Amino acid sequence: MSTVVMDQQRRIHPHKFTLWVGIASIIMMFAGLTSAYIVKRNQPNWVAFDVPVIFWYSTAVIIISSITLMQALKAFKQREIRKYKSLVVTTLFLGVLFVIMQVIGFSQLWAKGMTLQANVSFSFLYIIVGLHAIHVLGGIIALIVLFAKAFSRKVRNYNAVPVEVVSTYWHFVDFLWIYLLIFLLMIR
């Protein structure tokens, strides 16, 4: 094997590199926000709150969606396209269900008077989880693109890189939600 081919095999794909840079930036942003949350919670007017039970169910949904997307990637690599399509559809459905459950959970908090103006602690909650929601919506858009490509009638390109990138990103937002949920439970 030539050294050029071996060198190309060792390089990271530009889309994967960009994704990892983006993930590193998102990690730094959430690290800063959760650090600020810890510092601000020592204020005398800080109000503790209970996390709605539906957040636990939404956590199970997003974990299952990561598993289905992992299986979809495996099916794509094995060229089991029918299975891949059904798993992408399932993951997309679970991603939307996660968002719906989050909206229900925040509606419950809002009904209890936990609004943005009520207290700085609630503002932090909405900002941190709202930013996560934006990243989940980005993941859902990426899943919609995978869905559209999977059901497109164009000639298929069996390049797994787009599926790998979406899968990595989706697993990341899954991990990020688990981190945020644990953070909100531990640091009240």
Side-chain angles (χ1 to χ4, degrees):
M1 194 179 300
S2 74
T3 56
V4 173
V5 172
M6 287 174 55
D7 188 41
Q8 287 177 342
Q9 288 177 345
R10 280 188 255 146
R11 289 186 183 174
I12 187 169
H13 191 279
H15 293 141
K16 290 180 181 180
F17 178 76
T18 303
L19 173 68
W20 285 110
V21 169
I23 286 174
S25 299
I26 294 166
I27 288 171
M28 288 189 302
M29 177 181 63
F30 278 97
L33 286 169
T34 53
S35 296
Y37 186 99
I38 291 168
V39 169
K40 288 287 192 178
R41 77 183 174 116
N42 292 323
Q43 291 182 339
N45 64 344
W46 190 264
V47 177
F49 55 88
D50 291 324
V51 175
V53 174
I54 197 164
F55 283 0
W56 289 101
Y57 295 119
S58 69
T59 302
V61 166
I62 201 166
I63 290 170
I64 294 167
S65 73
S66 273
I67 293 167
T68 59
L69 192 53
M70 192 170 28
Q71 292 172 340
L73 176 59
K74 182 180 176 186
F76 185 86
K77 287 181 176 180
Q78 294 173 348
R79 296 191 180 197
E80 297 173 0
I81 299 305
R82 184 170 280 161
K83 184 177 179 181
Y84 166 72
K85 288 178 181 181
S86 69
L87 288 166
V88 166
V89 168
T90 303
T91 305
L92 181 58
F93 170 77
L94 291 170
V96 171
L97 181 60
F98 173 80
V99 171
I100 291 168
M101 294 172 92
Q102 292 288 298
V103 168
I104 291 168
F106 278 99
S107 296
Q108 292 171 355
L109 291 174
W110 198 271
K112 290 180 182 178
M114 296 180 194
T115 64
L116 287 168
Q117 297 83 14
N119 190 285
V120 70
S121 56
F122 305 144
S123 298
F124 265 101
L125 172 71
Y126 283 100
I127 290 169
I128 292 171
V129 180
L131 284 170
H132 179 262
I134 291 169
H135 290 94
V136 170
L137 290 175
I140 289 174
I141 291 168
L143 287 169
I144 291 170
V145 170
L146 284 184
F147 172 83
K149 285 184 177 184
F151 289 93
S152 171
R153 296 198 183 269
K154 291 183 180 180
V155 177
R156 303 245 186 279
N157 177 358
Y158 288 101
N159 181 2
V161 171
V163 184
E164 291 171 347
V165 167
V166 171
S167 181
T168 300
Y169 180 77
W170 193 254
H171 296 321
F172 169 69
V173 294
D174 180 352
F175 171 77
L176 184 58
W177 171 250
I178 292 168
Y179 163 74
L180 291 174
L181 182 65
I182 292 169
F183 177 80
L184 292 173
L185 290 170
M186 306 269 304
I187 309 292
R188 286 197 261 177

